[in-house]
Amino acid sequence: MKATEGMFDESVVYVTKQGTQVRTDGGRIVVWDVDGDEGELATFPTEKLDTINVFGGVNFSTPFVAEANEHGIILNYFTQNGKYRGSFVPEKNTIAEVRRAQYALDDTIELDIAASMIAGKIRNARTLLSRKGVYGTDVLKDLGVRATNVETKDDLRGVEGEAGERYFSRLDETLTDGWTFEKRTKRPPEDHINSLLSLTYVFMKNEVMSALRQYNLDPFLGVLHADRHGRPSLALDLQEEFRPIFCDAFVTRLVNRGVITHDQFTQDNHLADDAFKIYCSKFDEFMQEEFTHPYFEYTVSRRKAVRQQAILLRKAITGELDEYHALTFSK
């Protein structure tokens, strides 16, 4: 099996090779080369998986979809260059009490949870800059304090917006020679760094969505992002604390180490096919990397850390915890 054609830790698979089919065979999930002559590319134990991400011209057999539904495996669909298109979410019994608590959450608790997330995001932004040798970020420290003392969600959005501008104005200082970053742009991203940031935010959003679904939270009912049809507002909320310290750190690693270079992009700022396969492989490796958790003080992978935050969020929503504790790094 080629590493970029099917990557596996204990729960998540990426399938990027075009012309393949995901099927089931004897209690295992098989990635099969339909258009070529390579046959079986990869095989995985069904009971170990909870998410399969497929890109472009990859399809599923009907028996596999039935198997995925039975075993609670989420299927995420992307275009070949990584644009999210949708998901198949299995029919699973949700814990009714969790959903009732989420839907009944009052504005005060929502604001408290959201403020913790945004304060965590700002703290992590300062930490990333510090790790890259960028100092003089006291204004971000002040904004982090302001985030915990706001009275309305609009006030919190204002603090978050100002902190974002301050942070991104210094991000260029974290990049190696040959790479520059002027400002955050989207839809479409106007340069290669923005393209990598947008792509990584999509990948992280789906990590968060999988975690929320695993713990019976509705990813479309948020505490800060406004409700909008098709927008996974709660996933976007929870993702905030991971953006600097996981997503932006991953992008700076890719370019500073020369894993991704300018000549690996197409004219419209997308990664070329081979580079995209490298990106998928490196992202999965990054999410499997372990660190000492700053609060629990035991070793955990980044992917498991995201899922731990979903558990803490659920406990805050159901009242098992008095408050939500964002994942933050002080150094």
Side-chain angles (χ1 to χ4, degrees):
M1 181 188 72
K2 297 178 181 177
T4 56
E5 290 165 359
M7 290 153 281
F8 176 63
D9 62 359
E10 71 279 7
S11 60
V12 180
V13 167
Y14 293 80
V15 184
T16 61
K17 184 174 176 62
Q18 302 304 286
T20 58
Q21 182 183 69
V22 183
R23 56 178 67 171
T24 184
D25 183 12
R28 295 185 68 84
I29 293 169
V30 177
V31 181
W32 192 269
D33 183 14
V34 176
D35 290 351
D37 55 7
E38 296 183 52
E40 183 181 291
L41 297 172
T43 178
F44 311 101
T46 303
E47 67 276 6
K48 295 290 186 179
L49 296 184
D50 62 46
T51 305
I52 297 180
N53 301 299
V54 300
F55 299 84
V58 179
N59 66 73
F60 302 109
S61 71
T62 301
F64 165 74
V65 174
E67 189 90 350
N69 187 59
E70 180 181 347
H71 288 272
I73 300 172
I74 295 170
L75 314 177
N76 293 322
Y77 302 85
F78 300 83
T79 64
Q80 190 171 349
N81 58 29
K83 183 178 180 181
Y84 176 70
R85 304 301 291 175
S87 298
F88 167 80
V89 181
E91 293 180 351
K92 294 176 65 178
N93 291 329
T94 60
I95 300 175
E97 290 82 2
V98 174
R99 292 296 177 93
R100 287 197 182 104
Q102 184 181 357
Y103 299 149
L105 208 59
D106 66 42
D107 290 343
T108 300
I109 296 176
E110 284 188 355
L111 180 59
D112 289 344
I113 292 173
S116 179
M117 291 172 172
I118 297 305
K121 176 184 181 179
I122 296 171
R123 169 69 265 190
N124 289 337
R126 290 179 59 218
T127 299
L128 175 63
L129 293 174
S130 176
R131 287 178 179 179
K132 301 295 184 180
V134 180
Y135 301 105
T137 60
D138 287 348
V139 65
L140 286 176
K141 182 179 180 180
D142 294 340
L143 287 166
V145 173
R146 281 176 53 191
T148 61
N149 293 295
V150 294
E151 296 184 357
T152 69
K153 290 184 182 180
D154 282 342
D155 290 342
L156 182 58
R157 294 185 186 104
V159 171
E160 192 241 350
E162 183 177 349
E165 290 181 8
R166 299 281 188 171
Y167 164 69
F168 281 124
S169 72
R170 306 296 302 275
L171 192 63
D172 184 69
E173 298 173 55
T174 70
L175 303 176
T176 192
D177 291 344
W179 291 88
T180 59
F181 179 85
E182 293 184 5
K183 63 179 181 178
R184 180 75 180 114
T185 59
K186 324 171 199 177
R187 304 185 189 91
E190 295 178 2
D191 55 55
H192 296 166
I193 292 293
N194 272 292
S195 177
L196 289 171
L197 290 174
S198 292
L199 180 60
T200 307
Y201 294 157
V202 169
F203 272 45
M204 185 59 69
K205 179 191 71 177
N206 282 281
E207 294 279 344
V208 173
M209 286 182 69
S210 293
L212 293 173
R213 285 165 170 155
Q214 184 175 357
Y215 295 104
N216 298 295
L217 291 168
D218 184 346
F220 291 88
L221 185 66
V223 294
L224 181 61
H225 281 82
D227 295 334
R228 183 184 300 168
H229 179 71
R231 171 193 273 179
S233 297
L234 188 63
L236 296 173
D237 292 338
L238 182 55
Q239 181 184 4
E240 293 292 357
E241 63 205 65
F242 308 126
R243 284 180 184 259
I245 209 68
F246 286 177
C247 300
D248 302 354
F250 175 64
V251 169
T252 57
R253 175 192 291 192
L254 288 180
V255 301
N256 288 349
R257 294 184 180 181
V259 177
I260 297 295
T261 61
H262 286 296
D263 59 8
Q264 290 174 299
F265 288 84
T266 63
Q267 284 188 327
D268 57 359
N269 289 331
H270 292 306
L271 285 172
D273 291 348
D274 288 345
F276 181 68
K277 291 178 181 179
I278 294 171
Y279 173 93
C280 290
S281 177
K282 293 299 182 183
F283 180 83
D284 196 58
E285 290 175 9
F286 183 76
M287 294 304 294
Q288 292 183 59
E289 286 180 2
E290 296 182 333
F291 62 94
T292 300
H293 198 284
Y295 300 116
F296 300 132
E297 297 185 345
Y298 55 72
T299 301
V300 63
S301 71
R302 291 187 180 91
R303 180 165 286 138
K304 288 183 178 178
V306 170
R307 298 182 184 204
Q308 285 175 328
Q309 291 309 118
I311 295 173
L312 294 177
L313 177 58
R314 185 179 73 174
K315 288 180 179 292
I317 287 173
T318 59
E320 295 177 68
L321 287 176
D322 291 337
E323 58 183 326
Y324 173 72
H325 300 276
L327 176 63
T328 59
F329 296 81
S330 59
K331 59 181 181 179

